[in-house]
Amino acid sequence: MENINTEFSPLELDFFEQPTISLAKSLLGCQLVKWTKEGITAGYIVETEAYKGPDDRAAHSFNLRRTARTEVMYHRSGLAYTYQMHTHCLFNVVSGGEGKPEAVLIRAIHPSAGIELMQLRRHSQQSVNLTNGPGKFTKAMHITMEDYGHLLTSSPLYIAAGYKPKSISIGKRIGIDNSGEAVEYPWRFWITGNKYVSRHQKAERIETIE
DNA sequence: ATGGCGATTCTCT
DNA sequence: GAGAATCGCCATG
């Protein structure tokens, strides 16, 4: 048998072709990998949120709103949707398939490679604080608007295999207070007990993985 | 041309 | 827990 290094190999495109809620859970434990000329940074995804426009008032694509910013959400699953929030860049994986504008927001990672580079970029020697928020890990990994529309199956930015979480916690999404009834939807997912999760919140449900 | 505002973060109290 | 920072996007006129 040939010895193949699968540590940082991209997942295939069909991984992204599953329903958005399912994808949001499946992404937990996978690695997010970013290459730059400075080197590699990578981390296990530990927290995600599903956004299901056009019926989801919290989604940028609510009511089929289609602008330059949200355009990529209308294209195929597996593309990167990055956008600017105040001074930060937030990162989503497009899902739903062509013409169905849905996405999974990645909210936190647990570093697996390139921690020194992350510390340099974040001007911080701390560990957990480096990547425990949606604007934090993007800075640590140098994910920017340049990555908008990039297909996440190849360098410089892609999803790779990781580990299978033992338990997934489920709760309400963060920071969408003005979104009417959508505030209540249980579309936030995190690896139970993981210390890189951005905020403490009581889980509405906990799923154990077989 | 302009004004409101946000899927955030940091630094205080 | 509150307030500021700070800036691009997008809807209006």
Side-chain angles (χ1 to χ4, degrees):
Chain A
M1 245 346 177
E2 205 172 348
N3 196 7
I4 300 173
N5 178 11
T6 57
E7 200 178 359
F8 295 116
S9 326
L11 296 183
E12 303 288 325
L13 188 56
D14 64 5
F15 170 77
F16 300 97
E17 294 164 354
Q18 52 179 314
T20 298
I21 299 292
S22 165
L23 180 63
K25 295 181 190 175
S26 300
L27 280 165
L28 294 175
C30 289
Q31 289 183 95
L32 180 62
V33 182
K34 171 81 188 205
W35 289 92
T36 69
K37 64 181 178 193
E38 302 165 285
I40 186 176
T41 50
Y44 301 104
I45 295 168
V46 301
E47 180 184 355
T48 62
E49 286 180 0
Y51 285 87
K52 303 214 306 169
D55 302 321
D56 175 5
R57 282 193 57 182
H60 292 158
S61 54
F62 172 65
N63 214 9
L64 286 177
R65 202 155 63 91
R66 187 163 183 163
T67 65
R69 179 174 71 151
T70 61
E71 179 61 27
V72 75
M73 291 183 74
Y74 289 80
H75 297 288
R76 65 168 149 165
S77 302
L79 295 171
Y81 169 38
T82 49
Y83 72 95
Q84 196 118 10
M85 172 60 174
H86 289 259
T87 54
H88 309 285
C89 179
L90 273 59
F91 171 74
N92 298 252
V93 178
V94 172
S95 61
E98 194 75 37
K100 199 160 170 242
E102 305 184 348
V104 177
L105 171 69
I106 309 300
R107 288 192 54 91
I109 64 145
H110 173 167
S112 59
I115 295 186
E116 309 75 14
L117 193 47
M118 293 185 186
Q119 290 174 329
L120 208 58
R121 288 171 175 156
R122 290 268 293 136
H123 308 293
S124 168
Q125 294 302 114
Q126 302 177 65
S127 55
V128 170
N129 186 42
L130 227 42
T131 57
N132 64 346
K136 295 182 187 179
F137 80 83
T138 53
K139 182 166 187 189
M141 297 181 72
H142 198 253
I143 293 170
T144 70
M145 290 308 294
E146 303 258 306
D147 295 304
Y148 184 92
H150 173 73
L151 188 60
L152 297 166
T153 53
S154 66
S155 194
L157 179 62
Y158 57 89
I159 305 292
Y163 67 95
K164 191 158 194 155
K166 289 192 183 71
S167 166
I168 294 177
S169 294
I170 303 176
K172 296 183 174 84
R173 294 173 293 180
I174 303 290
I176 55 166
D177 301 334
N178 58 343
S179 300
E181 75 284 355
V183 171
E184 304 297 324
Y185 300 165
W187 288 350
R188 175 175 181 239
F189 309 93
W190 67 94
I191 296 179
T192 305
N194 190 285
K195 63 182 179 182
Y196 287 86
V197 170
S198 67
R199 291 207 211 179
H200 263 307
Q201 174 196 33
K202 186 171 167 58
E204 298 186 0
R205 199 151 62 86
I206 296 182
E207 288 182 3
T208 306
I209 311 298
E210 67 285 350

Tab-separated table of all heavy atoms in Angstrom, chain A residues 126-168:
chain	number	residue	atom	x	y	z
A	126	GLN	N	-1.810	34.619	23.158
A	126	GLN	CA	-2.799	33.756	23.795
A	126	GLN	C	-3.165	32.586	22.872
A	126	GLN	O	-2.848	32.586	21.696
A	126	GLN	CB	-4.045	34.564	24.125
A	126	GLN	CG	-3.755	35.755	25.030
A	126	GLN	CD	-4.991	36.578	25.287
A	126	GLN	OE1	-5.938	36.107	25.902
A	126	GLN	NE2	-4.995	37.801	24.795
A	127	SER	N	-3.846	31.593	23.430
A	127	SER	CA	-4.182	30.414	22.632
A	127	SER	C	-5.653	30.403	22.229
A	127	SER	O	-5.993	30.559	21.060
A	127	SER	CB	-3.828	29.146	23.410
A	127	SER	OG	-4.463	29.170	24.678
A	128	VAL	N	-6.533	30.247	23.201
A	128	VAL	CA	-7.957	30.158	22.895
A	128	VAL	C	-8.449	31.433	22.209
A	128	VAL	O	-9.160	31.386	21.208
A	128	VAL	CB	-8.778	29.898	24.173
A	128	VAL	CG1	-10.269	30.050	23.894
A	128	VAL	CG2	-8.486	28.499	24.701
A	129	ASN	N	-8.051	32.553	22.740
A	129	ASN	CA	-8.498	33.851	22.246
A	129	ASN	C	-8.091	34.125	20.799
A	129	ASN	O	-8.599	35.029	20.155
A	129	ASN	CB	-7.938	34.944	23.147
A	129	ASN	CG	-8.472	36.300	22.791
A	129	ASN	OD1	-9.658	36.456	22.517
A	129	ASN	ND2	-7.611	37.277	22.762
A	130	LEU	N	-7.162	33.320	20.286
A	130	LEU	CA	-6.651	33.521	18.933
A	130	LEU	C	-7.731	33.296	17.869
A	130	LEU	O	-7.802	34.023	16.877
A	130	LEU	CB	-5.526	32.515	18.705
A	130	LEU	CG	-4.206	32.948	18.103
A	130	LEU	CD1	-3.721	34.251	18.648
A	130	LEU	CD2	-3.191	31.844	18.323
A	131	THR	N	-8.573	32.303	18.060
A	131	THR	CA	-9.471	31.851	16.979
A	131	THR	C	-10.885	31.552	17.435
A	131	THR	O	-11.641	30.905	16.718
A	131	THR	CB	-8.898	30.564	16.333
A	131	THR	OG1	-8.730	29.569	17.349
A	131	THR	CG2	-7.576	30.824	15.655
A	132	ASN	N	-11.285	32.041	18.618
A	132	ASN	CA	-12.609	31.699	19.145
A	132	ASN	C	-13.689	32.716	18.774
A	132	ASN	O	-14.496	33.113	19.600
A	132	ASN	CB	-12.550	31.521	20.666
A	132	ASN	CG	-12.169	32.813	21.378
A	132	ASN	OD1	-11.698	33.747	20.741
A	132	ASN	ND2	-12.365	32.861	22.671
A	133	GLY	N	-13.717	33.119	17.526
A	133	GLY	CA	-14.748	34.035	17.050
A	133	GLY	C	-14.636	34.184	15.542
A	133	GLY	O	-13.554	33.983	14.980
A	134	PRO	N	-15.745	34.528	14.882
A	134	PRO	CA	-15.781	34.547	13.418
A	134	PRO	C	-14.859	35.589	12.773
A	134	PRO	O	-14.402	35.383	11.642
A	134	PRO	CB	-17.249	34.852	13.099
A	134	PRO	CG	-17.796	35.464	14.335
A	134	PRO	CD	-17.041	34.870	15.475
A	135	GLY	N	-14.603	36.686	13.489
A	135	GLY	CA	-13.679	37.676	12.943
A	135	GLY	C	-12.245	37.430	13.389
A	135	GLY	O	-11.296	37.983	12.833
A	136	LYS	N	-12.104	36.580	14.380
A	136	LYS	CA	-10.765	36.321	14.940
A	136	LYS	C	-9.984	35.316	14.115
A	136	LYS	O	-8.835	35.551	13.731
A	136	LYS	CB	-10.888	35.827	16.388
A	136	LYS	CG	-11.468	36.841	17.350
A	136	LYS	CD	-11.493	36.263	18.766
A	136	LYS	CE	-12.224	37.182	19.736
A	136	LYS	NZ	-12.269	36.600	21.095
A	137	PHE	N	-10.604	34.173	13.807
A	137	PHE	CA	-9.842	33.156	13.075
A	137	PHE	C	-9.559	33.579	11.639
A	137	PHE	O	-8.549	33.189	11.065
A	137	PHE	CB	-10.529	31.788	13.132
A	137	PHE	CG	-11.665	31.608	12.166
A	137	PHE	CD1	-11.443	31.248	10.846
A	137	PHE	CD2	-12.975	31.813	12.584
A	137	PHE	CE1	-12.500	31.098	9.960
A	137	PHE	CE2	-14.027	31.655	11.709
A	137	PHE	CZ	-13.793	31.310	10.386
A	138	THR	N	-10.450	34.415	11.058
A	138	THR	CA	-10.172	34.879	9.697
A	138	THR	C	-8.920	35.748	9.679
A	138	THR	O	-8.123	35.659	8.753
A	138	THR	CB	-11.352	35.674	9.120
A	138	THR	OG1	-11.718	36.719	10.020
A	138	THR	CG2	-12.547	34.782	8.859
A	139	LYS	N	-8.764	36.556	10.718
A	139	LYS	CA	-7.545	37.358	10.792
A	139	LYS	C	-6.327	36.466	11.031
A	139	LYS	O	-5.278	36.643	10.404
A	139	LYS	CB	-7.663	38.403	11.907
A	139	LYS	CG	-6.446	39.301	12.006
A	139	LYS	CD	-6.682	40.535	12.853
A	139	LYS	CE	-5.467	41.461	12.763
A	139	LYS	NZ	-5.531	42.586	13.719
A	140	ALA	N	-6.474	35.489	11.926
A	140	ALA	CA	-5.373	34.581	12.242
A	140	ALA	C	-4.934	33.772	11.016
A	140	ALA	O	-3.767	33.464	10.843
A	140	ALA	CB	-5.775	33.641	13.368
A	141	MET	N	-5.898	33.445	10.139
A	141	MET	CA	-5.601	32.609	8.977
A	141	MET	C	-5.447	33.413	7.693
A	141	MET	O	-5.218	32.848	6.624
A	141	MET	CB	-6.713	31.563	8.802
A	141	MET	CG	-6.812	30.596	9.975
A	141	MET	SD	-8.102	29.348	9.746
A	141	MET	CE	-7.367	28.314	8.461
A	142	HIS	N	-5.597	34.721	7.811
A	142	HIS	CA	-5.530	35.601	6.648
A	142	HIS	C	-6.544	35.214	5.576
A	142	HIS	O	-6.224	35.067	4.387
A	142	HIS	CB	-4.123	35.654	6.056
A	142	HIS	CG	-3.907	36.840	5.170
A	142	HIS	ND1	-3.836	36.736	3.796
A	142	HIS	CD2	-3.791	38.153	5.445
A	142	HIS	CE1	-3.676	37.945	3.279
A	142	HIS	NE2	-3.649	38.816	4.258
A	143	ILE	N	-7.774	35.028	6.010
A	143	ILE	CA	-8.892	34.863	5.087
A	143	ILE	C	-9.480	36.250	4.866
A	143	ILE	O	-9.806	36.944	5.831
A	143	ILE	CB	-9.940	33.901	5.679
A	143	ILE	CG1	-9.346	32.495	5.778
A	143	ILE	CG2	-11.214	33.899	4.832
A	143	ILE	CD1	-10.192	31.506	6.561
A	144	THR	N	-9.557	36.662	3.598
A	144	THR	CA	-9.925	38.043	3.282
A	144	THR	C	-10.942	38.071	2.144
A	144	THR	O	-11.352	37.027	1.638
A	144	THR	CB	-8.690	38.847	2.821
A	144	THR	OG1	-8.297	38.348	1.531
A	144	THR	CG2	-7.552	38.714	3.804
A	145	MET	N	-11.308	39.264	1.720
A	145	MET	CA	-12.232	39.410	0.597
A	145	MET	C	-11.625	38.856	-0.692
A	145	MET	O	-12.339	38.594	-1.657
A	145	MET	CB	-12.647	40.872	0.426
A	145	MET	CG	-13.558	41.384	1.537
A	145	MET	SD	-14.995	40.338	1.848
A	145	MET	CE	-15.909	40.541	0.316
A	146	GLU	N	-10.324	38.666	-0.735
A	146	GLU	CA	-9.678	38.046	-1.888
A	146	GLU	C	-10.181	36.616	-2.085
A	146	GLU	O	-10.118	36.077	-3.192
A	146	GLU	CB	-8.157	37.998	-1.684
A	146	GLU	CG	-7.522	39.337	-1.444
A	146	GLU	CD	-6.845	39.867	-2.681
A	146	GLU	OE1	-6.016	39.147	-3.247
A	146	GLU	OE2	-7.166	41.015	-3.071
A	147	ASP	N	-10.652	36.016	-1.019
A	147	ASP	CA	-11.113	34.631	-1.093
A	147	ASP	C	-12.572	34.518	-1.539
A	147	ASP	O	-13.080	33.408	-1.701
A	147	ASP	CB	-10.947	33.963	0.278
A	147	ASP	CG	-9.487	33.849	0.677
A	147	ASP	OD1	-8.713	33.259	-0.092
A	147	ASP	OD2	-9.114	34.357	1.751
A	148	TYR	N	-13.227	35.647	-1.726
A	148	TYR	CA	-14.635	35.642	-2.159
A	148	TYR	C	-14.788	34.837	-3.444
A	148	TYR	O	-14.099	35.083	-4.439
A	148	TYR	CB	-15.102	37.077	-2.383
A	148	TYR	CG	-16.575	37.206	-2.752
A	148	TYR	CD1	-17.542	37.406	-1.778
A	148	TYR	CD2	-16.986	37.140	-4.087
A	148	TYR	CE1	-18.884	37.525	-2.099
A	148	TYR	CE2	-18.324	37.256	-4.431
A	148	TYR	CZ	-19.272	37.449	-3.425
A	148	TYR	OH	-20.598	37.570	-3.760
A	149	GLY	N	-15.687	33.842	-3.433
A	149	GLY	CA	-15.973	33.077	-4.640
A	149	GLY	C	-15.018	31.935	-4.941
A	149	GLY	O	-15.205	31.216	-5.913
A	150	HIS	N	-14.016	31.753	-4.096
A	150	HIS	CA	-13.066	30.653	-4.320
A	150	HIS	C	-13.733	29.303	-4.017
A	150	HIS	O	-14.416	29.165	-3.012
A	150	HIS	CB	-11.836	30.846	-3.434
A	150	HIS	CG	-10.878	29.697	-3.470
A	150	HIS	ND1	-10.068	29.439	-4.561
A	150	HIS	CD2	-10.620	28.721	-2.558
A	150	HIS	CE1	-9.352	28.354	-4.312
A	150	HIS	NE2	-9.656	27.899	-3.108
A	151	LEU	N	-13.538	28.314	-4.885
A	151	LEU	CA	-14.084	26.979	-4.642
A	151	LEU	C	-13.219	26.255	-3.611
A	151	LEU	O	-11.999	26.145	-3.772
A	151	LEU	CB	-14.141	26.190	-5.955
A	151	LEU	CG	-14.864	24.843	-5.889
A	151	LEU	CD1	-16.321	25.018	-5.457
A	151	LEU	CD2	-14.788	24.139	-7.241
A	152	LEU	N	-13.881	25.766	-2.568
A	152	LEU	CA	-13.152	25.278	-1.390
A	152	LEU	C	-12.657	23.843	-1.516
A	152	LEU	O	-12.698	23.071	-0.552
A	152	LEU	CB	-14.042	25.414	-0.153
A	152	LEU	CG	-14.413	26.862	0.190
A	152	LEU	CD1	-15.553	26.908	1.195
A	152	LEU	CD2	-13.187	27.581	0.734
A	153	THR	N	-12.207	23.464	-2.721
A	153	THR	CA	-11.657	22.122	-2.912
A	153	THR	C	-10.191	22.165	-3.309
A	153	THR	O	-9.616	21.138	-3.667
A	153	THR	CB	-12.441	21.363	-4.002
A	153	THR	OG1	-12.483	22.181	-5.177
A	153	THR	CG2	-13.856	21.060	-3.537
A	154	SER	N	-9.589	23.356	-3.270
A	154	SER	CA	-8.172	23.446	-3.645
A	154	SER	C	-7.514	24.644	-2.985
A	154	SER	O	-8.194	25.550	-2.492
A	154	SER	CB	-8.050	23.572	-5.168
A	154	SER	OG	-8.609	24.799	-5.584
A	155	SER	N	-6.178	24.620	-2.994
A	155	SER	CA	-5.384	25.704	-2.462
A	155	SER	C	-5.770	27.005	-3.174
A	155	SER	O	-6.134	26.950	-4.345
A	155	SER	CB	-3.909	25.374	-2.682
A	155	SER	OG	-3.111	26.212	-1.930
A	156	PRO	N	-5.707	28.149	-2.499
A	156	PRO	CA	-5.109	28.337	-1.170
A	156	PRO	C	-6.060	28.168	0.010
A	156	PRO	O	-5.615	28.286	1.137
A	156	PRO	CB	-4.630	29.799	-1.229
A	156	PRO	CG	-5.652	30.465	-2.090
A	156	PRO	CD	-6.035	29.444	-3.134
A	157	LEU	N	-7.330	27.890	-0.264
A	157	LEU	CA	-8.282	27.815	0.855
A	157	LEU	C	-9.220	26.639	0.625
A	157	LEU	O	-9.882	26.581	-0.416
A	157	LEU	CB	-9.074	29.127	0.944
A	157	LEU	CG	-10.140	29.227	2.041
A	157	LEU	CD1	-9.529	29.109	3.425
A	157	LEU	CD2	-10.916	30.542	1.918
A	158	TYR	N	-9.271	25.703	1.563
A	158	TYR	CA	-10.120	24.536	1.360
A	158	TYR	C	-10.472	23.848	2.687
A	158	TYR	O	-9.950	24.201	3.739
A	158	TYR	CB	-9.455	23.547	0.410
A	158	TYR	CG	-8.094	23.073	0.824
A	158	TYR	CD1	-7.939	21.955	1.627
A	158	TYR	CD2	-6.946	23.745	0.407
A	158	TYR	CE1	-6.688	21.521	2.007
A	158	TYR	CE2	-5.686	23.324	0.781
A	158	TYR	CZ	-5.568	22.211	1.583
A	158	TYR	OH	-4.310	21.796	1.963
A	159	ILE	N	-11.385	22.873	2.574
A	159	ILE	CA	-11.783	22.051	3.710
A	159	ILE	C	-11.099	20.687	3.594
A	159	ILE	O	-11.086	20.096	2.512
A	159	ILE	CB	-13.312	21.831	3.718
A	159	ILE	CG1	-14.064	23.161	3.681
A	159	ILE	CG2	-13.728	20.990	4.937
A	159	ILE	CD1	-13.938	23.998	4.918
A	160	ALA	N	-10.538	20.221	4.698
A	160	ALA	CA	-9.882	18.908	4.724
A	160	ALA	C	-10.498	18.054	5.832
A	160	ALA	O	-11.193	18.561	6.706
A	160	ALA	CB	-8.383	19.072	4.961
A	161	ALA	N	-10.229	16.763	5.771
A	161	ALA	CA	-10.744	15.864	6.812
A	161	ALA	C	-10.167	16.230	8.167
A	161	ALA	O	-9.108	16.853	8.267
A	161	ALA	CB	-10.381	14.425	6.466
A	162	GLY	N	-10.859	15.856	9.214
A	162	GLY	CA	-10.380	16.114	10.568
A	162	GLY	C	-10.729	14.948	11.455
A	162	GLY	O	-10.259	13.842	11.230
A	163	TYR	N	-11.571	15.193	12.427
A	163	TYR	CA	-12.019	14.107	13.301
A	163	TYR	C	-13.539	14.170	13.444
A	163	TYR	O	-14.161	15.170	13.097
A	163	TYR	CB	-11.354	14.203	14.673
A	163	TYR	CG	-11.767	15.395	15.500
A	163	TYR	CD1	-12.782	15.297	16.446
A	163	TYR	CD2	-11.126	16.633	15.343
A	163	TYR	CE1	-13.157	16.388	17.220
A	163	TYR	CE2	-11.497	17.739	16.107
A	163	TYR	CZ	-12.507	17.611	17.045
A	163	TYR	OH	-12.879	18.688	17.790
A	164	LYS	N	-14.085	13.106	13.960
A	164	LYS	CA	-15.527	13.043	14.151
A	164	LYS	C	-15.873	13.404	15.590
A	164	LYS	O	-15.449	12.720	16.520
A	164	LYS	CB	-16.005	11.616	13.831
A	164	LYS	CG	-17.508	11.508	13.741
A	164	LYS	CD	-17.901	10.274	12.923
A	164	LYS	CE	-19.368	10.345	12.527
A	164	LYS	NZ	-19.668	9.581	11.328
A	165	PRO	N	-16.641	14.491	15.800
A	165	PRO	CA	-16.974	14.883	17.172
A	165	PRO	C	-17.814	13.808	17.851
A	165	PRO	O	-18.616	13.143	17.198
A	165	PRO	CB	-17.818	16.147	16.983
A	165	PRO	CG	-17.581	16.604	15.596
A	165	PRO	CD	-17.237	15.383	14.805
A	166	LYS	N	-17.665	13.672	19.153
A	166	LYS	CA	-18.466	12.696	19.904
A	166	LYS	C	-19.871	13.214	20.133
A	166	LYS	O	-20.832	12.469	20.197
A	166	LYS	CB	-17.827	12.422	21.262
A	166	LYS	CG	-16.536	11.632	21.211
A	166	LYS	CD	-16.167	11.186	22.640
A	166	LYS	CE	-14.839	10.457	22.665
A	166	LYS	NZ	-13.702	11.365	22.419
A	167	SER	N	-19.976	14.553	20.272
A	167	SER	CA	-21.254	15.140	20.649
A	167	SER	C	-21.394	16.548	20.065
A	167	SER	O	-20.458	17.336	20.113
A	167	SER	CB	-21.344	15.180	22.177
A	167	SER	OG	-22.398	16.008	22.590
A	168	ILE	N	-22.572	16.833	19.533
A	168	ILE	CA	-22.850	18.147	18.947
A	168	ILE	C	-23.948	18.842	19.745
A	168	ILE	O	-25.013	18.248	19.987
A	168	ILE	CB	-23.305	17.991	17.483
A	168	ILE	CG1	-22.159	17.452	16.623
A	168	ILE	CG2	-23.813	19.329	16.929
A	168	ILE	CD1	-22.566	17.199	15.181
